[in-house]
Amino acid sequence: MKLMTNVILTLKERDIMQIHRAKPKLLLLTGLSILLTGCSISDWYNGYYAERTAIIKAHKERDAYYNAESPEMKALRKKNQAYCSDLASRPENRIEKIGYENRVFNEPMYSVCMEKGGTPTFGTYESRQDEKQRAERRARGEIVPEFQ
């Protein structure tokens, strides 16, 4: 009986040792398979990473545009922003949009007001630069003009 008990205890110890060695390997294998099947590197690079870098680049360009202004221009921009945002947010100037009871801020009116005030927004500046580049490419013959 004593011999039988010793054999059973020895076998249980071996089983326990084998389970403890197998657990880290099993966890590592499971973790890697979940990681590799859950998201591929191309999805991450083309989705999250590319979008994040584009946003960071756009923020740097916008900040550089506004920081390059003179103090007088910054003061004028501040005055124009107050006036134009008040004008574009008035109830009679708001734009109707589905799902909004009280209408939404009139962004086109705000941009035009800022441009007429002598302080164009970064979006307006950017669209002007794009138009200039398209005109230069058309002049060089790289773009065929569209007929309407």
Side-chain angles (χ1 to χ4, degrees):
M1 186 72 172
K2 188 171 186 173
L3 181 63
M4 186 68 126
T5 308
N6 285 341
V7 171
I8 292 173
L9 287 173
T10 306
L11 289 174
K12 283 185 177 179
E13 286 177 8
R14 284 186 189 163
D15 288 342
I16 290 170
M17 294 301 286
Q18 288 175 354
I19 290 171
H20 282 296
R21 280 190 224 132
K23 277 186 181 178
K25 291 178 184 176
L26 182 63
L27 287 173
L28 181 65
L29 183 64
T30 306
L32 283 174
S33 65
I34 289 172
L35 179 69
L36 293 175
T37 58
C39 65
S40 66
I41 296 299
S42 65
D43 289 344
W44 175 80
Y45 183 81
N46 291 333
Y48 173 77
Y49 178 74
E51 183 178 323
R52 183 173 169 260
T53 53
I55 289 170
I56 290 171
K57 181 182 174 195
H59 281 260
K60 284 182 181 178
E61 289 174 354
R62 186 194 66 207
D63 291 342
Y65 173 75
Y66 287 123
N67 291 335
E69 292 179 338
S70 66
E72 297 85 21
M73 188 72 145
K74 286 182 182 181
L76 179 62
R77 178 174 297 284
K78 194 173 188 179
K79 187 180 91 174
N80 283 348
Q81 276 179 332
Y83 173 74
C84 293
S85 62
D86 179 52
L87 181 68
S89 64
R90 288 185 183 158
E92 62 270 13
N93 294 334
R94 289 176 163 256
I95 298 174
E96 288 185 25
K97 251 192 184 171
I98 297 173
Y100 295 93
E101 293 177 16
N102 299 328
R103 301 176 172 188
V104 294
F105 184 80
N106 194 337
E107 182 66 35
M109 179 182 273
Y110 175 79
S111 296
V112 169
C113 177
M114 290 294 284
E115 190 172 359
K116 285 184 178 180
T119 54
T121 61
F122 178 69
T124 306
Y125 166 77
E126 207 172 28
S127 64
R128 277 195 206 152
Q129 296 302 318
D130 290 343
E131 269 302 315
K132 285 181 184 178
Q133 287 176 352
R134 276 194 290 274
E136 289 172 3
R137 290 182 66 199
R138 261 190 235 105
R140 288 190 303 246
E142 293 176 15
I143 299 176
V144 179
E146 297 176 15
F147 296 104
Q148 295 178 359

